[in-house]
Amino acid sequence: MQTIAIQEKIPCLDLRGQHQQIKSEIFTAFEKVYENTAFSGGPFVEEFEKHFAAFCQTKYAVGVNNGTSALHLAMLALGIGVGDEVIVPANTFIATAWGVSYTGATPVFVDCTPNTWQIDASKIEDKINSRTKAVVGVHLYGQPFDVEGVQSVCQKYGLYLLEDAAQAQGAQYKGAPVGGFGELACFSFYPGKNLGACGEAGGITTDNERYYKHLLSLRNHGSMVRYYHDMVGFNMRMGGLEGASLNVKLKYLPEWNKRRREIARRYQMGITNPHLQMQAQPDWADSIYHLFVVTTEDRGELIKYLNGHNIYPGLHYPVPCHLQKAYVDLGYKKGDCPHAEYLASHCLSLPMYAELTDEDVHQVIGVLNSYRNA
Ligand SMILES: Cc1ncc(COP(=O)(O)O)c(C=O)c1O
């Protein structure tokens, strides 16, 4: 029997290490925002937009107040509204579907594959009808979905492709960064994301100038010239403090993503317990491991065991979108998306953040391997 020394608590995510490391740089950036009173939009947001577009290799980036707004505005920019349908994976965070619902359109949920846990491109065609306008692919947990598989269905039926890249800043599909594969791509800079603002923020990338200009106006009360409103718009600008913090953090993102990949490799090589399954990693996907999700038959037992060893995993996500109460009127039932349902009741997310030490990772692996083998 292996003996495991109990160490300090290891949570699923801890933001303190990262923020201690860059505190003085962030505070200097905040001071500049303060001195310029550039609190809403402004030069610090514009600077971030420029750098983030370059990072994603797209022509444009538009900063907004959060990732949910990014999805909402992206849908509006594509002209989606009442009577339209948009195909969305059942296995994602619910905000992917909110963007559709806010416009009055209907999300149509499609199952994930049983091994990559991403949208199943082969199941999309069955969901298409004359009302279908777009497909949202989600680079879930930081791993790119089957972009070409989904693109080919979109091309065949003349549908828009939108990337939900909220969890995938810096992930690559066939060597190219996510954010430039669809008409538009949406990002979240929620503090817990790989690139998270000190506050709430989001963004949209595109190569299309028409969408870009439309989005600039939509986020700013439908206005490009102050007090002249060309359309019904929203107040969804990114804040200056958020933009300034993102400017600092973007520089560190490649280094942080590299460390996440290193930790993931250790988990992949080190965890040998047959009671756990990991996400399949197709050759074309270079994940940045926003989350490291595993499945197991008896999740409750494993969580208790981990907690007993001071390890606190997360759950992403316990209820698939099609079975959420908010969408009960759409009439989905258990069994409609069996792989997403399996994941919801069997998944757990291992500790994953760049500041985890090698000892922490070793500890997590050791405890997982001793589960049911003790
Ligand atoms: C896949 C996905 N889409 C959209 C969002 C929404 O982003 P935000 O929380 O910034 O509104 C999130 C964030 O949690 C997400 O994980």
Side-chain angles (χ1 to χ4, degrees):
M1 194 179 95
Q2 205 180 343
T3 48
I4 295 150
I6 307 277
Q7 295 186 340
E8 263 187 44
K9 183 171 166 174
I10 309 177
C12 182
L13 174 66
D14 187 343
L15 296 176
R16 287 172 303 177
Q18 178 192 98
H19 289 92
Q20 280 307 323
Q21 185 194 329
I22 55 171
K23 185 173 169 182
S24 66
E25 240 183 298
I26 293 270
F27 277 36
T28 305
F30 283 172
E31 214 165 349
K32 283 194 196 141
V33 177
Y34 200 88
E35 277 158 13
N36 285 276
T37 62
F39 298 117
S40 177
F44 301 98
V45 172
E46 282 163 24
E47 191 186 339
F48 173 66
E49 289 170 335
K50 199 174 81 201
H51 290 142
F52 193 66
F55 181 78
C56 295
Q57 296 175 16
T58 57
K59 284 193 187 150
Y60 309 105
V62 178
V64 292
N65 57 343
N66 59 56
T68 309
S69 298
L71 285 154
H72 182 188
L73 295 190
M75 289 292 157
L76 292 175
L78 294 175
I80 285 160
V82 178
D84 294 334
E85 292 186 359
V86 176
I87 294 170
V88 172
N91 181 37
T92 182
F93 179 60
I94 194 70
T96 309
W98 289 158
V100 181
S101 297
Y102 292 164
T103 70
T106 304
V108 174
F109 296 106
V110 67
D111 206 0
C112 56
T113 76
N115 59 352
T116 65
W117 307 336
Q118 307 282 15
I119 189 166
D120 187 341
S122 72
K123 300 238 171 83
I124 295 173
E125 220 157 341
D126 281 354
K127 307 278 176 186
I128 295 172
N129 60 44
S130 58
R131 293 183 295 279
T132 313
K133 292 290 179 310
V135 179
V136 185
V138 183
H139 303 298
L140 198 68
Y141 315 141
Q143 177 169 308
F145 63 87
D146 173 11
V147 172
E148 283 171 16
V150 178
Q151 265 173 343
S152 73
V153 185
C154 288
Q155 277 156 13
K156 182 168 169 194
Y157 291 91
L159 307 176
Y160 297 121
L161 171 61
L162 195 137
E163 291 169 75
D164 181 340
Q167 303 186 354
Q169 301 89 342
Q172 298 201 336
Y173 173 83
K174 294 197 172 172
V178 301
F181 295 109
E183 267 72 27
L184 297 158
C186 298
F187 291 84
S188 165
F189 306 120
Y190 177 76
K193 295 293 195 271
N194 286 45
L195 176 62
C198 296
E200 298 267 357
I204 306 154
T205 53
T206 185
D207 284 324
N208 183 310
E209 191 182 4
R210 187 167 56 85
Y211 294 142
Y212 170 63
K213 288 190 170 159
H214 194 171
L215 289 165
L216 289 181
S217 177
L218 278 172
R219 77 167 175 190
N220 186 35
H221 296 290
S223 170
M224 295 302 278
V225 178
R226 201 163 203 190
Y227 302 130
Y228 290 81
H229 305 277
D230 308 318
M231 63 190 82
V232 176
F234 300 83
N235 178 357
M236 292 182 175
R237 293 175 297 251
M238 184 188 280
L241 292 166
E242 284 77 7
S245 63
L246 288 167
N247 271 323
V248 172
K249 289 191 180 188
L250 184 58
K251 285 186 300 186
Y252 293 97
L253 186 60
E255 192 185 306
W256 291 336
N257 282 347
K258 184 167 168 254
R259 174 65 184 154
R260 284 174 177 274
R261 286 177 170 126
E262 235 171 64
I263 294 166
R265 294 287 168 267
R266 284 177 189 243
Y267 281 155
Q268 285 156 350
M269 304 299 285
I271 300 168
T272 51
N273 191 326
H275 299 296
L276 299 177
Q277 291 78 42
M278 298 184 205
Q279 186 181 21
Q281 312 275 307
D283 288 347
W284 37 258
D286 189 8
S287 178
I288 43 80
Y289 302 96
H290 169 60
L291 298 170
F292 196 96
V293 174
V294 297
T295 61
T296 189
E297 278 307 310
D298 195 348
R299 178 168 70 189
E301 276 305 303
L302 178 56
I303 291 174
K304 252 195 262 162
Y305 187 77
L306 289 170
N307 290 173
H309 290 85
N310 262 347
I311 297 166
Y312 293 83
L315 282 191
H316 302 89
Y317 299 93
V319 182
C321 294
H322 67 295
L323 298 181
Q324 290 285 356
K325 208 165 158 190
Y327 284 128
V328 74
D329 290 350
L330 296 180
Y332 288 91
K333 55 187 186 325
K334 268 197 179 151
D336 285 341
C337 297
H339 300 310
E341 290 162 31
Y342 179 87
L343 262 168
S345 51
H346 295 86
C347 69
L348 68 161
S349 308
L350 303 186
M352 176 52 87
Y353 46 98
E355 298 71 29
L356 275 173
T357 64
D358 288 350
E359 291 69 39
D360 292 335
V361 177
H362 183 73
Q363 172 80 357
V364 174
I365 293 171
V367 173
L368 284 170
N369 284 342
S370 72
Y371 172 64
R372 294 227 231 152
N373 291 323

